[in-house]
Structures are given as structure tokens and as C-alpha cells.
Amino acid sequence: MSFNIRFGTANDGPDAWEHRREMVVETIRDAEPDIVGLQECLDFQAMYIVENLANYAWIGLGRDADGTGEMTAIVYRTDRLLPVATNHHWLSETPQIPGSVSWDSSLTRIVSRIMFFHIQEKSRFAFYNTHFDHRGEVARQESSRLLVALMSKETVPVVLTG
């Protein structure tokens, strides 16, 4: 599942996080996905989601240089999946530099990757979750190229959400 849950501190009036957080939890609960790639997520939002769902945990890193801010958090079923390795890359010309911005990006953007072990299937796969820039056309094109380059190095099946 891919789910843009909207930045949790946005001044959204009746659509603010406090008014829609239970709907987010109910939507995930009803779908029962093994994995959810969240976009526009803040740490308190991810914590609220997993605190209100049985057998779920989350992994994420804020896109800012200090690890805070919006993230592309990944929520997963702990009874079905084990995270084996985690990586984060910034959608920029210098993807290993935290908080880096390039091209015509309006904001810092990130992709989160987790290598999972599926307990029942006894197999591994890579899960990528991202959120492209909403203004920069060049940034979206170059971010796509970067993702293809990263995913082409995988030796296991790949899932991408964003």
C-alpha cells in the first residue's frame, strides 16, 4: 500500500491530522497490507499509526540533514516481515549526503529502502518508498533515473511505492 498521509503539522483546519488520524488507521486496518509506504510522514504520525495497529512497526528517517522532518516512512507487519537492512538516499546529485538538494527541486526529497525477509516464504525482497518533488520537472526526471540506478543493483525482487 502507498499512502500520502499529509504533513502532520499543516494548517489544514477541519482536515488537520488530529481530525483524520483515525481514518488513516482504519484505512490501513481494513486493507491489512503487509507493508505501507507513507509519504509526507512525521515521526509522531508513524508512531500514532503503529500504536493503534496490532503487529505493525515502522522505520523511517527525516529528509533534513539532521534526520528530522518529513519522511518516507515504511510501516510493516512484524508477524510476516523482518527488516534485514535499511538505507536512505537523497534525491539529488549527491544521494549519500543527508539533506542534499539538486536540480530544480523545491524541497529536500528522500527515498527509503528496506531489505525484508518474508517469514512464511523464506525469501527476501527490497522495498523502496519515495515522494518526488511537486514542482521540479527536472528533479522528477532525475529522481527517476536515480531510482532506476539504485534498484538495478538489487539481486532480489523490488517493490516501489511513492
Side-chain angles (χ1 to χ4, degrees), residues 121-152:
E121 299 295 325
K122 299 191 181 348
S123 62
R124 292 179 185 222
F125 65 95
F127 187 87
Y128 287 75
N129 183 41
T130 193
H131 188 202
F132 282 5
D133 195 79
H134 63 297
R135 292 193 179 136
E137 184 175 335
V138 173
R140 290 190 297 272
Q141 292 169 350
E142 294 301 322
S143 295
S144 296
R145 285 187 184 92
L146 176 61
L147 280 175
V148 167
L150 292 169
M151 293 185 298
S152 69

Side-chain angles (χ1 to χ4, degrees), residues 82-87 113-117 124-127 154-156:
L82 295 173
V84 176
T86 302
N87 307 89
R113 173 206 176 262
I114 302 177
M115 175 71 72
F116 280 107
F117 177 75
R124 292 179 185 222
F125 65 95
F127 187 87
E154 300 288 353
T155 58
V156 296

Side-chain angles (χ1 to χ4, degrees), residues 68-86:
T68 62
E70 277 187 45
M71 63 181 78
T72 52
I74 298 169
V75 173
Y76 63 95
R77 294 274 308 247
T78 58
D79 58 337
R80 297 182 184 168
L81 301 169
L82 295 173
V84 176
T86 302

Side-chain angles (χ1 to χ4, degrees), residues 35 37 41 45 65-67 76 87 104 106-107 118:
I35 305 174
C41 184
Q45 292 175 288
D66 63 359
Y76 63 95
N87 307 89
D104 59 349
S106 62
L107 298 165
H118 192 285

Side-chain angles (χ1 to χ4, degrees), residues 13-14 29 41 54-55 57 61 69 74 82 88-91 101 108 110 112 117 120 129 134-135 141 152:
R29 186 181 296 123
C41 184
N55 300 316
L61 178 69
I74 298 169
L82 295 173
H88 304 280
H89 300 277
W90 283 259
L91 302 180
V101 179
T108 306
I110 193 171
S112 297
F117 177 75
Q120 183 179 1
N129 183 41
H134 63 297
R135 292 193 179 136
Q141 292 169 350
S152 69

